[in-house]
Amino acid sequence: MPPMPPSAQRHGPTWFDKLKMGALMGGTVGGIMGFIYGTVTIFQYGAGQAGVMRTLGKYIVGSGATFSVFMGIGSIIRTDSPQMAASVWARSKYPPLVHPRRNQSQLQR
């Protein structure tokens, strides 16, 4: 059987897939953190007029939505392709600047 042509091979997730994946992970982690923080707050200060479930739900949804937005945006920002980084590195004219390590005696002067 002949190999698949390069155009027919799967390339990887799109930016929208990465956004959804980051938002889902962020929502899960944020929801768990909201549950923990809300539970501790309810134990310390009480639920108030809204009741336990509504107060805890506000903490879970608020924390989950906030962290979901930031994780979704962060996963979009991190979609740099390795080809782009390699081409930028290849176009740079100068070698990387590495400073020599200083001894403790040089730092105290």
Side-chain angles (χ1 to χ4, degrees), residues 15-52:
W15 67 269
F16 189 68
D17 292 336
K18 291 182 181 183
L19 173 73
K20 290 188 297 186
M21 193 180 330
L24 185 63
M25 287 189 297
T28 303
V29 171
I32 291 169
M33 292 306 296
F35 176 76
I36 293 169
Y37 184 70
T39 303
V40 170
T41 304
I42 289 172
F43 282 152
Q44 285 181 347
Y45 303 111
Q49 298 274 340
V52 175

Side-chain angles (χ1 to χ4, degrees), residues 56-75:
L56 188 59
K58 285 181 184 178
Y59 279 106
I60 291 172
V61 170
S63 179
T66 302
F67 202 66
S68 173
V69 167
F70 286 117
M71 281 288 288
I73 292 171
S75 65

